[in-house]
Amino acid sequence: MSDEKNRTDNNSDTEISIPLAELIKVRRDKVLELQNKNINPYPYSYKRTHHIKDAIADFDSLAEAETSISFAGRIMLKRKMGKTFFADLRDSSERIQIYVRKDKVSDEQFDIFNSVDLGDIVGVEGFMFTTKTGEKTLKVTSFELLTKSLHPLPDKHSGLTDTEQRYRRRYADLIVNPEVRDVFRMRSKIIQMVRDYLNNKDFLEVETPILQPMYGGGNAKPFKTFYNKLDRDMYMRIADELYLKRLIVGGYDKVWELCKDFRNEGIDRFHNPEFTMIEMYWAFADYKDMAELFENMLRDTVFAIHGKYKIPYGENEIDFEPKFRWVSMLDSIKEETGVDFSELSYEDAKSKAKEFHVESDTLINWGKVVEAMWEEKVEPTLIQPTFITDYPVEISPLAKKHRDNPRLTERFELFISTFEMGNAFSELNDPVDQMERFIQQGKAMEAGDDEAQPLDDDCITALTYGMPPTAGLGFGVDRLVMVLTNQHTIRDVVFFPQMKETGDGSVPVSKILAQIIDDE
RNA sequence: GGGGGUGUAGCUCAGGGGUAGAGCAUCUGCCUUUUAAGCAGGUUGUCGAUGGUUCGAUUCCAUCCACCCUCACCA
């Protein structure tokens, strides 16, 4: 019996028979019906007088004068009651209830509104009033369908919660989850704030190559691509550093770039293979100058976004108002463990690390051991904004040696809520020192470190012309946005995060549409 | 890459060796101040994919895929 059924299914079911297709077909039929009545379900424009938010703010005077106003937005809810409708209309600014009565609009418009589906985009004209239950509402006198929606919306109450679907179909996420829109508005505002801040400080916004013959400026595996015309491999940039330095050599005092970078590495809640950094370079300044600039910029940005300096992040409250803590990497380790690594040789440091259960056998130099100790014992404690400074030279190939200690560099990283929010140095401008560091990196690469930096000849050449003393800073925009918007996954601050190809066998909507058109 | 979890209708979720249910959406009625409107009735599913066990698998087993959490590495 079941065999028989399967057979018939397999034989007859070359057609698509899924409920979604039925839902889409109902809406498609409405499109045809409108077209038969010479009504364009996809008209060209609509002149609205108000955004909903502004009309609500100005409600009293608009209602009293019965001013005729208009909105354009998407129908999110619809309640039919005999010869009237209430519906929720949402535009980019707000939601409002609209009220459609049969005796207030033309018969044709009433019929069209009757056929309106959740998700349709409409223009409505009318005047503001208050319902019995006290809700500010637009009484509609004229109505126009602006775009017919063919695809059903997610559930009107529970919305779209499946994280995978939210990322894969961000448009649906944005339609039904307005708070997601707000996060990305804040992202935009944060970038705008930084841009304004740097412009006001006379930093020049520049653009440098994303497609590069040689990558560098950070420790990461690059994306490789191929340029047919030149018959050669090219790389997507992993950082801006080396190009911005060339511009400092060229004579600009202050440059910065909002840079999309690409790193051929894993995906997790802190990493997306393409991400956004801001890098800035400041001639005749050192890392302390840069720290002050960075700190003030962040403090002002937090206040501009939130109107206050204390903001929640997860369990914690981050306070941007007090002067950020400034502590050297070695001192911070000493505070947490009582051990002063500055006194120790490479071998002693290794065995000391083991006493603290830090695996050090594979660490090839003193700097790497210090870094491992620090990551294990100090980094998880850094909730409030903290500059960790003066990193070992071995793990800082582009930073200038510390003026007081050749084992260290003039470098800081800022930590907030235990993760890194920026990385800066007094930039290395001695071409001989820089070349030697590159050579060290080359050895690391030969030893199997596929994130080591290759030697950039042109960068060395540039430095031989002379780069003034310069401070450089790079910080992750995505992470800054995460902290300032209290988001805990990079995927919630990037519109279209990288996703693997879907494993499900779902029928693409285009196929459903093709089938429906075919049947017409 | 290791460990744990999840995958059932357009959406949110229950269920369970005899091929499936709820709410919302959708369709048909009724209702001119409702609001997750209400009332009455109806439609809807390759139960993530592929194999195996079984008379029979959506359910049990194995493998794979995607997503989430976590550990290791990079920002």
Side-chain angles (χ1 to χ4, degrees):
Chain A
M1 177 187 172
S2 60
D3 280 348
E4 193 178 300
K5 184 154 191 270
N6 282 337
R7 210 173 298 126
T8 43
D9 280 358
N10 289 337
N11 287 342
S12 65
D13 206 32
T14 50
E15 299 202 338
I16 299 159
S17 65
I18 55 176
L20 177 60
E22 295 306 313
L23 297 172
I24 290 176
K25 178 154 176 46
V26 167
R27 292 170 176 226
R28 168 63 185 171
D29 286 345
K30 290 176 180 175
V31 167
L32 295 177
E33 201 175 311
L34 289 167
Q35 285 169 336
N36 281 338
K37 291 186 205 164
N38 274 325
I39 296 164
N40 184 357
Y42 303 101
Y44 292 89
S45 66
Y46 184 78
K47 300 274 184 284
R48 64 176 147 197
T49 63
H50 284 71
H51 278 96
I52 291 169
K53 193 176 183 180
D54 299 331
I56 289 174
D58 203 19
F59 178 82
D60 289 343
S61 63
L62 289 172
E64 190 173 350
E66 293 198 355
T67 313
S68 185
I69 61 173
S70 57
F71 301 133
R74 198 183 287 270
I75 297 290
M76 301 304 292
L77 286 172
K78 196 178 161 195
R79 301 177 281 281
K80 186 175 183 182
M81 229 192 111
K83 295 184 174 55
T84 66
F85 291 97
F86 286 93
D88 282 18
L89 180 76
R90 184 142 77 209
D91 71 7
S92 60
S93 71
E94 247 307 352
R95 178 216 80 107
I96 196 168
Q97 176 169 265
I98 63 172
Y99 179 48
V100 181
R101 290 171 63 104
K102 189 166 169 51
D103 57 9
K104 291 287 179 193
V105 296
S106 70
D107 285 352
E108 185 182 63
Q109 286 189 358
F110 190 79
D111 285 347
I112 297 171
F113 197 83
N114 191 33
S115 78
V116 156
D117 290 295
L118 303 189
D120 285 359
I121 295 167
V122 303
V124 288
E125 193 178 331
F127 54 88
M128 300 291 266
F129 78 111
T130 309
T131 63
K132 255 197 228 172
T133 51
E135 177 153 0
K136 296 177 172 71
T137 301
L138 185 84
K139 190 171 284 187
V140 175
T141 53
S142 177
F143 156 83
E144 189 179 338
L145 179 66
L146 300 180
T147 297
K148 187 69 196 165
S149 164
L150 295 181
H151 198 292
L153 246 35
D155 187 273
K156 67 185 184 186
H157 188 233
S158 45
L160 186 66
T161 58
D162 182 88
T163 50
E164 184 174 353
Q165 290 309 317
R166 288 186 44 232
Y167 300 143
R168 288 191 193 278
R169 292 194 272 175
R170 181 67 88 181
Y171 38 88
D173 186 30
L174 290 164
I175 289 170
V176 298
N177 296 321
E179 67 281 4
V180 174
R181 289 190 197 171
D182 292 341
V183 167
F184 286 98
R185 282 209 177 88
M186 283 168 81
R187 180 182 174 115
S188 179
K189 195 172 172 189
I190 289 163
I191 291 170
Q192 190 60 49
M193 276 302 300
V194 170
R195 175 172 278 127
D196 288 349
Y197 194 92
L198 292 175
N199 284 344
N200 287 336
K201 298 277 180 198
D202 295 323
F203 277 79
L204 183 72
E205 184 170 5
V206 298
E207 292 168 273
T208 64
I210 293 172
L211 192 60
Q212 303 182 345
M214 172 65 68
Y215 64 97
N219 293 86
K221 282 172 262 182
F223 282 92
K224 198 172 178 178
T225 184
F226 189 78
Y227 189 176
N228 295 343
K229 199 75 183 175
L230 295 189
D231 190 28
R232 62 158 297 164
D233 290 329
M234 301 286 281
Y235 301 92
M236 310 291 281
R237 77 172 163 209
I238 60 167
D240 278 34
E241 169 129 5
L242 302 182
Y243 280 94
L244 292 179
K245 277 180 176 167
R246 286 165 168 86
L247 297 180
I248 297 291
V249 170
Y252 295 107
D253 282 338
K254 298 173 174 177
V255 294
W256 74 285
E257 180 168 13
L258 179 72
C259 35
K260 260 307 188 55
D261 292 335
F262 306 84
R263 299 195 178 178
N264 208 337
E265 287 158 5
I267 299 175
D268 63 34
R269 74 191 185 91
F270 293 110
H271 300 89
N272 194 53
E274 76 180 271
F275 64 104
T276 308
M277 290 223 297
I278 284 175
E279 289 197 30
M280 54 181 101
Y281 289 81
W282 180 6
F284 308 109
D286 66 13
Y287 74 140
K288 289 186 178 174
D289 298 315
M290 186 60 95
E292 194 181 342
L293 175 91
F294 190 32
E295 177 173 344
N296 288 332
M297 184 180 82
L298 290 181
R299 187 174 291 121
D300 287 3
T301 300
V302 168
F303 194 83
I305 300 292
H306 292 283
K308 57 186 179 182
Y309 294 108
K310 286 184 187 167
I311 61 170
Y313 192 75
E315 305 279 294
N316 300 307
E317 184 177 66
I318 313 292
D319 190 353
F320 286 84
E321 189 162 23
K323 184 88 185 146
F324 296 179
R325 197 163 165 244
W326 176 271
V327 58
S328 77
M329 181 173 267
L330 291 168
D331 285 348
S332 70
I333 296 172
K334 196 156 74 179
E335 283 173 19
E336 292 295 327
T337 66
V339 180
D340 186 352
F341 276 80
S342 66
E343 305 291 317
L344 301 180
S345 67
Y346 167 49
E347 290 301 334
D348 291 346
K350 266 210 315 201
S351 49
K352 203 63 172 174
K354 276 184 193 161
E355 287 177 27
F356 287 89
H357 308 292
V358 172
E359 184 50 58
S360 58
D361 285 342
T362 59
L363 303 174
I364 57 172
N365 54 49
W366 177 80
K368 294 260 187 194
V369 177
V370 169
E371 183 184 34
M373 266 308 280
W374 178 86
E375 281 175 358
E376 184 68 26
K377 297 297 170 193
V378 182
E379 189 178 21
T381 70
L382 301 175
I383 305 297
Q384 297 303 324
T386 305
F387 289 114
I388 297 294
T389 73
D390 304 342
Y391 284 53
V393 67
E394 299 96 324
I395 59 170
S396 312
L398 298 166
K400 209 167 183 169
K401 279 177 187 145
H402 197 283
R403 60 195 80 181
D404 300 326
N405 185 344
R407 228 176 169 185
L408 304 177
T409 55
E410 298 203 352
R411 173 179 179 189
F412 71 75
E413 290 190 329
L414 177 66
F415 288 82
I416 299 174
S417 201
T418 77
F419 54 89
E420 190 210 311
M421 294 291 305
N423 181 19
F425 341 115
S426 297
E427 296 290 338
L428 181 51
N429 63 342
D430 174 349
V432 174
D433 191 352
Q434 182 65 79
M435 191 179 67
E436 285 168 354
R437 307 274 192 103
F438 272 135
I439 288 166
Q440 284 304 315
Q441 287 288 305
K443 284 179 184 162
M445 194 176 269
E446 278 169 27
D449 180 356
D450 52 7
E451 288 171 0
Q453 303 186 41
L455 189 143
D456 187 327
D457 283 316
D458 185 61
C459 178
I460 298 294
T461 304
L463 290 182
T464 60
Y465 281 80
M467 182 175 83
T470 298
L473 165 69
F475 65 93
V477 170
D478 310 291
R479 288 188 180 177
L480 178 62
V481 174
M482 281 170 70
V483 168
L484 297 198
T485 59
N486 200 10
Q487 298 299 312
H488 297 254
T489 305
I490 195 168
R491 292 185 153 185
D492 286 329
V493 299
V494 171
F495 272 130
F496 302 103
Q498 195 63 42
M499 302 291 279
K500 293 184 193 165
E501 210 172 342
T502 337
D504 73 16
S506 61
V507 181
V509 171
S510 58
K511 243 179 203 146
I512 294 174
L513 285 180
Q515 170 105 33
I516 290 173
I517 304 310
D518 210 40
D519 291 347
E520 280 168 3

